[in-house]
Amino acid sequence: MTDISLGPAPARRERLRRRIRLLVTATITYNVIEAVVAIAAGTTASSAALIGFGLDSVVEVASAAAVAWQFSRPDHEKREQTALKVIAVSFFALAAYVTVDAVRTLLGAGEADHSTPGLVLAAVSLVIMPLLSAAQRRAGRELGSASAVADSKQTLLCTYLSAVLLIGLALNSLFGWSWADPIAALVIAAVAVNEGREAWRGDACCATPTIGTREPSGAATCSDGCCGGEEEPAT
């Protein structure tokens, strides 16, 4: 038989919208602080990696601001595609910068000094960013918001960059291996391009309407599993 699966109740949807707005505000606040500290520390240490990390934080702010703008109105679904496009462009911009910066570093464009503030910042971000990303992804999936899920992926990407930065700074400080950071950064850039393509196409999460349905076969209408993948099969 066909199973009709209702979306979140109106009261629950409103709580999810408030939660997403709160998480986006926290993400913006942290990334502004992160950008200021990273760029200042990077300038002091002549570290292209730290400066790039700070600029990534600026991209994070743009992505989160797009989601905040979307959820500033009750009819946030109407702004979904515009927010996704902004997030996609931010992914592409991040990938472009990281790629150029990594290539410049591999070609020997300067050597970075040891940076204690940079190491501390990378370690703290490695703890905070996964928590923010997971919380926003859960809320976005339950609400069926593709832009909220896409922004959570942007935050998760910042986690990867934090790990890359921490490893790169540590290896440079301990062994003088200046090539480690740009190589890993190129991998992150490739991931960013892929996430940007998904956000541009609207594939970050299936946008769930107020009432979701299953096909007669029992398969969920969501193809990526982000909205309906955890439901039990219809019987």
Side-chain angles (χ1 to χ4, degrees):
M1 61 180 289
T2 301
D3 178 27
I4 304 300
S5 177
L6 297 179
R12 177 62 178 169
R13 291 176 64 84
E14 182 56 34
R15 286 196 296 271
L16 289 169
R17 283 193 287 265
R18 287 198 301 268
R19 184 180 303 171
I20 289 174
R21 287 196 295 267
L22 178 62
L23 291 168
V24 166
T25 300
T27 299
I28 291 174
T29 301
Y30 181 80
N31 275 285
V32 168
I33 297 173
E34 188 179 66
V36 172
V37 174
I39 292 175
T43 302
T44 301
S46 300
S47 171
L50 264 173
I51 294 175
F53 186 74
L55 293 177
D56 165 69
S57 299
V58 175
V59 174
E60 278 281 322
V61 171
S63 175
V67 178
W69 168 77
Q70 179 193 350
F71 281 89
S72 64
R73 294 181 54 179
D75 57 341
H76 61 88
E77 293 89 353
K78 295 181 179 179
R79 295 181 170 186
E80 184 89 7
Q81 290 303 313
T82 300
L84 279 171
K85 293 298 187 289
V86 172
I87 292 171
V89 170
S90 70
F91 269 122
F92 295 143
L94 170 60
Y97 177 82
V98 170
T99 299
V100 171
D101 186 65
V103 171
R104 287 181 63 252
T105 303
L106 286 172
L107 293 177
E111 293 185 0
D113 298 325
H114 168 77
S115 175
T116 299
L119 287 167
V120 172
L121 176 65
V124 172
S125 296
L126 198 56
V127 174
I128 292 178
M129 286 303 177
L131 299 178
L132 287 174
S133 175
Q136 186 171 341
R137 184 168 60 254
R138 285 195 298 269
R141 283 178 171 177
E142 184 175 351
L143 188 60
S145 171
S147 60
V149 173
D151 186 58
S152 76
K153 289 186 176 183
Q154 177 78 283
T155 304
L156 187 61
L157 182 62
C158 186
T159 301
Y160 301 149
L161 285 175
S162 300
V164 167
L165 178 65
L166 183 60
I167 293 172
L169 292 178
L171 291 178
N172 187 39
S173 296
L174 294 173
F175 307 110
W177 294 352
S178 59
W179 50 264
D181 179 64
I183 291 296
L186 289 174
V187 176
I188 297 298
V191 174
V193 170
N194 182 65
E195 298 296 349
R197 290 174 60 245
E198 289 187 359
W200 187 270
R201 295 196 308 261
D203 293 343
C205 176
C206 51
T208 305
T210 303
I211 298 179
T213 62
R214 287 180 177 272
E215 296 297 331
S217 64
T221 54
C222 298
S223 60
D224 61 3
C226 72
C227 304
E230 298 178 358
E231 296 179 14
E232 295 295 328
T235 56

